[in-house]
Amino acid sequence: MDETTVSALKGQVRGEVITPTDGGYDEARKVYNAMIDKHPAVIVRCANVADVIAAVKAANAENLPVAVRGGSHSVPGFGTADNALVVDLVRMKSARVDPALKTIWADGGCTWGDFNHATHAFGLATTGGIISTTGIAGLTLGGGIGYLTRGVGLSLDNLISADVVLADGSFVTASEKSHPDLFWALRGGGGNFGVVTCFQYKLQPIDNIVGGVMLFEVEDAPNVMRAYNEYITNAPRELGAFFAWQIAPPLPFIPENRHGDTFCVMVVCWTGAPDEAGKAIAPFRKSAHVVAEFIGSMPYPAMNSLFDVLVPPGLQHYWKAVYVRDLTEGAIEAHMKFGPKVPVVNSTMHIYPINGAVHDVTAEATAYGHRDAKYATVIAGMWPDPKQNEANIRWVKDYYAALAPHSERGGYINFAASDDSDRVGANFGSNYEQLRKLKKKYDPSNRFRVNQNIMPT
Ligand SMILES: Cc1cc2nc3c(=O)[nH]c(=O)nc-3n(C[C@H](O)[C@H](O)[C@H](O)COP(=O)(O)OP(=O)(O)OC[C@H]3O[C@@H](n4cnc5c(N)ncnc54)[C@H](O)[C@@H]3O)c2cc1C
């Protein structure tokens, strides 16, 4: 990057401007997925909206792509890129709750841990991811699937407005009333339309929940999956639940002689009356013999960080995703072929329900294009040792190939891999053409292209 532009930028911003010759550059260019090793031209750790505007204008002056980093969890590493200007929002973490209106203004650098910390003080919450270290920004702009999805919708369904720095460096607040086309595109279009500096969400009175995990033998998995598929269709909306594979970590509630064995698990989160939790999860308990169980009352933020320990920063990640309309016998067979071979304790496959409140919203109401699916399935390869790259990537690819015939063509953009660019249209689904038109309107030169990229028409 031109030295004059760098020194002008350093004079303009209150955050940090880090170039390849600065100490700290190697630390600053790291993202959550340790497989990503990119060398951006400059990293701007913005302290406020003015810094973001200055950074985007500098990228325009130098004709550099902008990579936006919220929580840094993008598996393909979209929070950085070679020769790009990185807008890193890690310092922008303000979160202000209005308890009377039940809303929150949360900055683009907040994680779900930051968000839940702010809202739980008022006994409030909304749909976030299942891991507390994931960023609210990338997760919300692509969809937002979590424990509360069936009850209150995707994270993006709870968005009221968004402050955005656009590709030309101008600033707007997008909502149903102001720039409604942009507001539509932000809700499902990912990071294609600008840098969201602040999100406003509506909140629900959700405080303590009853939740946790139950483990079943691998050979019982077909029955557990069938019971899950049947029950979740019309289960009470206060129930969040998903099916997964899990190698047992050495936890006290699991018999010691079973540590390291592979299980199928149901993860549950009940937000209804505590004394009705037993009834709500009974169909899972009845589906097969429960080998071990850890379920109890806890604050919602505790549920939201229950599995954080399995996914520390610094793992290698390779994921694939599909949407699924029904868990057919063919799909169950494919799961049984590859699920029990899950290679390491961090890796898994989750089948998340996206019915309930998600289906109350029409497919055209927001840019999120797959409201007809019942599940979002992710095969998440996550492993500590780069020497295991080949074996783990192979497991994910083979599993995905076996599931594909029983799935929709598209997958959830936030779970997609970097080599999925040929599936972008299918991943955005029925709203793709409209998204391309709006991309042309708001970012005609594709300044924001380090993402599941929508090419301007
Ligand atoms: C361990 C783990 C658990 C996960 N669990 C869930 C889950 O439960 N539910 C779920 O739905 N997803 C989940 N995801 C996927 C997650 O939604 C995506 O990885 C998402 O992109 C993360 O957002 P981020 O801000 O942390 O990512 P980043 O890497 O910071 O950003 C990813 C992309 O999002 C865009 N972006 C980020 N910030 C902004 C911004 N402020 N303005 C505009 N664009 C921006 C950019 O295009 C950027 O390239 C999980 C991912 C991981 C690694």
Side-chain angles (χ1 to χ4, degrees), residues 31-32 67-80 89 108-110 128-131 133-141 143-146 155 186 190-199 311 317 319 352 382 412-415 450-452:
V31 288
Y32 175 78
V68 190
R69 193 182 302 170
S72 183
H73 265 209
S74 160
V75 168
F78 290 145
T80 186
L89 301 177
C110 287
I130 63 156
I131 299 292
T133 53
T134 306
I136 65 165
L139 186 139
T140 300
L141 296 170
I145 298 169
S155 303
L186 289 171
N192 275 281
F193 294 92
V195 186
V196 179
T197 52
C198 190
F199 296 82
V311 288
H317 288 252
W319 297 19
Y352 295 105
M382 308 183 266
Y412 177 35
I413 62 161
N414 279 350
F415 292 157
V450 188
N451 44 43
Q452 292 286 333

Side-chain angles (χ1 to χ4, degrees), residues 82-405:
D82 286 333
N83 303 317
L85 183 148
V86 173
V87 169
D88 187 346
L89 301 177
V90 68
R91 294 176 61 159
M92 292 176 61
K93 282 181 176 288
S94 163
R96 185 170 71 83
V97 175
D98 182 329
L101 290 177
K102 296 194 180 63
T103 58
I104 182 172
W105 282 263
D107 279 355
C110 287
T111 61
W112 287 103
D114 301 324
F115 185 101
N116 291 332
H117 175 72
T119 58
H120 188 68
F122 301 96
L124 299 168
T126 194
T127 306
I130 63 156
I131 299 292
S132 77
T133 53
T134 306
I136 65 165
L139 186 139
T140 300
L141 296 170
I145 298 169
Y147 294 116
L148 309 181
T149 310
R150 297 186 67 252
V152 303
L154 300 164
S155 303
L156 59 78
D157 291 329
N158 292 283
L159 208 55
I160 300 169
S161 71
D163 289 351
V164 195
V165 175
L166 297 172
D168 62 2
S170 62
F171 174 89
V172 298
T173 296
S175 68
E176 292 287 5
K177 293 208 172 115
S178 159
H179 303 274
D181 57 352
L182 175 63
F183 188 54
W184 179 90
L186 289 171
R187 288 173 295 161
N192 275 281
F193 294 92
V195 186
V196 179
T197 52
C198 190
F199 296 82
Q200 185 190 11
Y201 302 81
K202 62 179 177 232
L203 299 170
Q204 312 294 332
I206 294 169
D207 192 355
N208 285 356
I209 56 89
V210 176
V213 57
M214 48 182 96
L215 276 64
F216 305 88
E217 301 289 3
V218 159
E219 52 271 26
D220 286 331
N223 283 341
V224 177
M225 276 189 253
R226 284 183 201 116
Y228 168 53
N229 188 42
E230 195 183 320
Y231 177 52
I232 209 68
T233 309
N234 294 311
R237 289 185 175 197
E238 295 93 332
L239 183 67
F242 65 88
F243 177 94
W245 301 107
Q246 185 62 56
I247 294 177
L251 292 170
F253 79 95
I254 302 170
E256 215 175 311
N257 65 343
R258 303 302 307 273
H259 292 173
D261 287 356
T262 301
F263 292 93
C264 81
V265 308
M266 283 304 310
V267 179
V268 297
C269 174
W270 172 252
T271 58
D275 59 351
E276 289 171 17
K279 190 173 157 215
I281 61 176
F284 303 135
R285 282 197 177 124
K286 280 188 208 146
S287 65
H289 166 68
V290 178
V291 180
E293 183 178 290
F294 174 80
I295 291 178
S297 174
M298 63 184 92
Y300 173 71
M303 184 75 211
N304 185 238
S305 48
L306 211 55
F307 301 105
D308 285 11
V309 67
L310 289 172
V311 288
L315 297 177
Q316 333 291 310
H317 288 252
Y318 182 80
W319 297 19
K320 286 273 190 197
V322 285
Y323 284 112
V324 177
R325 286 193 190 215
D326 202 20
L327 212 41
T328 59
E329 286 301 313
I332 291 173
E333 216 172 287
H335 281 296
M336 288 309 291
K337 192 160 172 212
F338 290 98
K341 294 184 197 154
V342 56
V344 290
V345 67
N346 317 88
S347 286
T348 186
M349 185 287 308
H350 292 174
I351 307 175
Y352 295 105
I354 49 167
N355 60 354
V358 182
H359 288 191
D360 292 346
V361 180
T362 62
E364 313 77 49
T366 69
Y368 182 82
H370 284 273
R371 293 190 189 264
D372 46 0
K374 184 167 156 190
Y375 302 110
T377 299
V378 61
I379 309 156
M382 308 183 266
W383 61 99
D385 185 353
K387 289 197 208 85
Q388 301 166 323
N389 285 5
E390 207 185 317
N392 282 274
I393 292 172
R394 176 57 41 218
W395 176 72
V396 175
K397 285 188 170 170
D398 289 349
Y399 199 156
Y400 168 71
L403 278 187

